Amino acid sequence: MMSIVVAYKYAANPQDTTVDASGVVDWSRAKAAISEYDPVAVQVGCTLADSLGTDVVGISVGGKAVSSSMAKKGALSRGMDRALVVADDATSTWNATTVASALAGLVGKVEGASLVLTGDSSVDESAKIVPTLIAGFLGWPCFQEVISVEAAGDGWTLTQSTAGGTRTVRVDGPVVAAVATDAAPVKVPGMKDILAAGKKPLEEVPVAELSTVDTALEVTGRAKPVAKARRNEMFTGDDAAAQLVAALRNAGAL
């Protein structure tokens, strides 16, 4: 049986954070929820699954909170049928490469998985590299800015948003697709959806069952962006506009 997989992240909301003078972000008061753009990928996956008569499996890697009742209902109320998660507080020190290797391992545990959908980026880090890393570990192709997906024989037809319009590609075999933020309108779960989500299965997969890749990463420093020096020139008189144009030309801005 073919299955559609959606990778989601239970992430803290940056709007609840504070930043100190050195540029270090304090996440201690940030509330966690399914990452802002992931519901779009879930919606695309569920719509496609309905048309194909298959199921949608959510996968996630995070701390123990990702397996909590609140996190489960927040994710599965969006329409997914079940979830596989790594819920281990040790993942807080993992970088994107290690997380992606674990997500790829979870994909391997979903029978018939042939399409992995992700959001455009995570709301907390916005690195936009996890989809390609997952694809690399799986040995599948990956496409970004995908606005629609259709089944096509043994593969998929993907439409991407590009600077000049759209591009449609046909892919044979399984694929990873990062869904554009405007790919589909997101439905807000109702109370019936939330209650039903509580009865859906969520399986915790121990890290020991996955072949994760451990890569060394050390943050050697943090700093705020250096403010650019401004000339603070003022132009007055009847020819102020001409003076401004001349100054901009001399500066290479025009």
Side-chain angles (χ1 to χ4, degrees):
M1 177 180 176
M2 177 183 67
S3 294
I4 296 171
V5 178
V6 179
Y8 68 93
K9 187 174 185 179
Y10 192 61
N13 190 335
Q15 294 182 1
D16 299 329
T17 63
T18 57
V19 182
D20 66 19
S22 65
V24 176
V25 181
D26 180 5
W27 295 88
S28 61
R29 297 183 180 181
K31 297 179 180 179
I34 183 171
S35 189
E36 183 175 357
Y37 303 126
D38 292 345
V40 182
V42 175
Q43 188 64 57
V44 171
C46 290
T47 300
L48 182 59
D50 288 344
S51 68
L52 298 175
T54 187
D55 62 345
V56 180
V57 182
I59 59 171
S60 189
V61 172
K64 290 298 294 182
V66 78
S67 64
S68 67
S69 175
M70 183 177 295
K72 174 185 175 181
K73 291 177 181 178
L76 296 184
S77 63
R78 300 283 178 176
M80 295 183 289
D81 299 287
R82 61 189 178 94
L84 295 175
V85 302
V86 172
D88 192 321
D89 288 339
T91 62
S92 63
T93 62
W94 288 7
N95 57 40
T97 301
T98 307
V99 170
S101 67
L103 288 169
L106 292 177
V107 174
K109 291 183 173 292
V110 179
E111 183 179 356
S114 59
L115 173 67
V116 175
L117 300 174
T118 75
D120 175 74
S121 63
S122 63
V123 70
D124 53 348
E125 297 182 1
S126 193
K128 294 190 176 185
I129 60 174
V130 170
T132 54
L133 288 169
I134 295 173
F137 285 117
L138 292 172
W140 297 2
C142 179
F143 294 87
Q144 304 275 356
E145 293 294 331
V146 174
I147 57 176
S148 70
V149 184
E150 297 178 1
D154 294 331
W156 305 93
T157 297
L158 310 174
T159 301
Q160 294 176 283
S161 175
T162 65
T166 61
R167 182 179 77 150
T168 301
V169 294
R170 163 70 187 273
V171 182
D172 291 328
V175 67
V176 177
V179 176
T181 58
D182 58 351
V186 175
K187 298 177 182 178
V188 178
M191 183 57 66
K192 182 179 179 180
D193 301 313
I194 295 172
L195 293 175
K199 301 177 182 179
K200 294 180 180 179
L202 181 146
E203 178 185 349
E204 291 188 45
V205 179
V207 174
E209 291 187 11
L210 304 172
S211 298
T212 57
V213 173
D214 187 17
T215 57
L217 173 65
E218 180 183 359
V219 178
T220 58
R222 293 184 176 89
K224 289 185 176 181
V226 178
K228 294 183 179 180
R230 299 181 181 276
R231 295 186 180 183
N232 295 319
E233 294 183 46
M234 295 183 65
F235 305 98
T236 60
D238 295 339
D239 63 340
Q243 294 179 54
L244 174 60
V245 172
L248 292 173
R249 284 176 176 168
N250 290 335
L254 292 178

